[in-house]
Amino acid sequence: MTNLTISLDENLVKQARIKAIQEGTSLSAKVRELLSTYVRQDMPTAPIVIPKLPVSKARGGLQPGIDPSSNQSLYDAMDAGMNVQKLS
């Protein structure tokens, strides 16, 4: 664990220590918790949605007309199908 030196208003630190004690924790633990929350703010919270490509039931693989070497063809096929699968 790393030590961090910061400058804070003395009255604020006193109030924060009192509140931390009332909550049964330490000021250091509260600072760690707040920094962890701050860092996680930019992380996505919604599940990633992956559109499914239309697949041929007869042959398996992509349906005719979808060019797997063309990004635009794949995007168009995904947009047309709009079948989505949520990743957990």
Side-chain angles (χ1 to χ4, degrees):
M1 201 170 292
T2 298
N3 289 326
L4 172 67
T5 302
I6 58 174
S7 299
L8 299 170
D9 178 70
E10 190 175 330
N11 193 35
L12 176 64
V13 172
K14 285 179 184 178
Q15 291 174 356
R17 279 200 174 119
I18 291 169
K19 186 166 182 172
I21 290 169
Q22 290 171 343
E23 293 177 359
T25 188
S26 68
L27 188 53
S28 291
K30 275 301 190 186
V31 170
R32 279 192 300 273
E33 177 187 326
L34 291 168
L35 282 175
S36 293
T37 301
Y38 174 71
V39 169
R40 286 192 308 265
Q41 282 178 348
D42 295 336
M43 294 181 180
T45 55
I48 298 170
V49 177
I50 301 175
K52 293 184 103 182
L53 290 170
V55 177
S56 171
K57 292 179 182 176
R59 301 181 303 132
L62 295 175
Q63 288 183 349
I66 301 172
D67 180 4
S69 64
S70 165
N71 286 345
Q72 189 60 52
S73 178
L74 293 170
Y75 291 143
D76 291 344
M78 287 187 287
D79 289 342
M82 292 308 286
N83 290 333
V84 291
Q85 169 187 353
K86 289 187 179 183
L87 235 56
S88 19

